[in-house]
Amino acid sequence: RRELSIESGHGTRWMAERYVQAALAAGYAGDLDAARELVATAQDAVESPTLRAWTRYVEGELDGLAGEWVPAEAAYRDAIEGATRTGASFIVGVASVGLVSALVAQDRIDEALHGYRVLLDHWERTGGWTQQWTTLRNLADLLDLLDDGATAATLRAAADAAPEAPVVAPDPAPAGDPAAAVAPSAAAGPIPGRGRVLDLARAAIADALAVRR
């Protein structure tokens, strides 16, 4: 994928953007060294403020993949600030998803919960339900940590059933134990629709914040 991205940009004004996209693909594939080199190659050619914000988002993703959460947080915040100035709401959203992950990783749970509350509103307002389901799955992971496994299971089950949600493969089974693979989530009752899912998520965030006061 990264090679196709770079090749498609040769000789065009989109070359820097293609290198940034290739960096993201390389990072998600586990090749962080190559990803960082690709971002560095793109840096001098990045002129658009929106692309600059996207580049900072990608740098945040790479830092997060490396477990370097302090620089990741800084990159995500830069991306959000830059994208807000240009009206690039999608970048604001995905960088905010990264930011709440960085906050959780640094055990700043209250800030993360507030961030999730803002994110649910953002994706609902912009209609980004593919990203909303990813956000809800990430929130479910945090709710598990906060001992709200019932709501977490319901959010995951709703995401698993939503046709517009990204497909998540089951966790691989431990070697020699194929029966131990984690199956898709199952809710305790009927799978709720979008509106009910958001109500449940917001109520869970409010409850978690109330308990932590």
Side-chain angles (χ1 to χ4, degrees):
R1 179 179 172 184
R2 77 186 82 160
E3 291 81 6
L4 287 174
S5 181
I6 293 171
E7 184 178 348
S8 69
H10 276 307
T12 75
R13 60 183 295 194
W14 310 112
M15 194 66 228
E17 189 268 343
R18 295 296 184 255
Y19 271 103
V20 175
Q21 292 296 98
L24 190 61
Y28 288 160
D31 194 346
L32 290 178
D33 289 339
R36 294 190 191 279
E37 289 179 9
L38 288 164
V39 168
T41 299
Q43 290 285 9
D44 291 340
V46 172
E47 297 177 354
S48 157
T50 299
L51 180 54
R52 193 170 299 115
W54 180 252
T55 302
R56 285 298 281 152
Y57 162 71
V58 171
E59 289 177 315
E61 290 290 276
L62 300 181
D63 288 335
L65 289 167
E68 298 168 359
W69 293 109
V70 172
E73 179 185 349
Y76 289 135
R77 290 192 186 278
D78 287 348
I80 293 166
E81 181 181 353
T84 298
R85 286 199 302 268
T86 65
S89 62
F90 177 80
I91 299 175
V92 170
V94 293
S96 296
V97 173
L99 177 59
V100 291
S101 295
L103 294 172
V104 171
Q106 296 175 79
D107 201 31
R108 289 156 60 187
I109 303 302
D110 286 9
E111 291 176 72
L113 288 166
H114 284 293
Y116 273 115
R117 189 162 57 190
V118 172
L119 265 170
L120 296 180
D121 293 345
H122 174 86
W123 294 128
E124 184 180 30
R125 183 175 63 254
T126 60
W129 268 94
T130 296
Q131 292 74 34
Q132 184 79 284
W133 289 118
T134 296
T135 300
L136 288 163
R137 280 177 168 141
N138 292 350
L139 174 60
D141 292 340
L142 178 54
L143 293 177
D144 273 335
L145 292 175
L146 299 176
D147 297 322
D148 189 358
T151 304
T154 299
L155 298 184
R156 289 195 189 95
D160 291 345
E164 70 278 11
V167 174
V168 177
D171 291 339
D177 187 9
V182 177
S185 302
I191 295 174
R194 287 180 175 183
R196 180 58 179 154
V197 164
L198 292 180
D199 288 344
L200 288 170
R202 288 172 175 133
I205 290 170
D207 289 347
L209 286 169
V211 167
R212 297 176 63 81
R213 288 197 183 104

